[in-house]
Amino acid sequence: QVQLVESGGGLVQAGGSLRLSCAASGSMFSLNDMGWYRQAPGKQRELVAAISSGYSTNYADSVKGRFTISRDNAKNTIYLQMNSLKPEDTAVYYCHALIVTVVASTEYDYWGQGTQVTVSS
């Protein structure tokens, strides 16, 4: 069984920084594209940043220049370094991954349980 486990959320003042981590574990044949999404109250879930297995990245316009996504393939882990945080960054942040498991030949979507990030003004 594959799991994505997130950590690193919390409460921070505007202008501060947080680092999120997401570790994938289980019987994986391949761990492909990974990324971070967020969902604020009353809003749809949106892509924040994504990174391919080859380390190509893309970001939402709202976080470009402030957030950095990175990946450690040896640890099956991605990170989201969030700097210059704003109150509008407040949301539940979800880790996402496209994974082919050992028992399946198809790529499936996997989600973490979510971690709360709250930025106070």
Side-chain angles (χ1 to χ4, degrees):
Q1 186 173 354
V2 173
Q3 281 189 314
L4 299 177
V5 179
E6 301 134 335
S7 61
L11 173 64
V12 65
Q13 288 190 330
S17 298
L18 283 174
R19 189 191 194 211
L20 305 183
S21 300
C22 172
S25 63
S27 300
M28 297 177 290
F29 179 76
S30 65
L31 180 58
N32 299 331
D33 293 357
M34 299 184 73
W36 292 95
Y37 287 72
R38 66 186 180 188
Q39 188 166 19
K43 294 189 176 181
Q44 288 189 329
R45 191 173 295 189
E46 63 175 359
L47 174 68
V48 176
I51 186 166
S52 71
S53 57
Y55 302 98
S56 297
T57 60
N58 68 284
Y59 296 90
D61 287 343
S62 59
V63 306
K64 282 180 181 176
R66 299 188 299 122
F67 292 9
T68 302
I69 190 169
S70 60
R71 178 171 184 150
D72 185 337
N73 283 339
K75 296 181 179 179
N76 292 332
T77 299
I78 61 169
Y79 307 93
L80 186 68
Q81 178 66 43
M82 303 185 292
N83 299 328
S84 302
L85 282 161
K86 304 176 180 179
E88 52 263 44
D89 295 317
T90 296
V92 178
Y93 283 69
Y94 296 91
C95 178
H96 170 262
L98 293 172
I99 299 172
V100 179
T101 62
V102 170
V103 297
S105 60
T106 305
E107 188 178 69
Y108 287 100
D109 291 275
Y110 287 85
W111 293 91
Q113 78 284 0
T115 185
Q116 178 70 47
V117 171
T118 302
V119 184
S120 62
S121 57

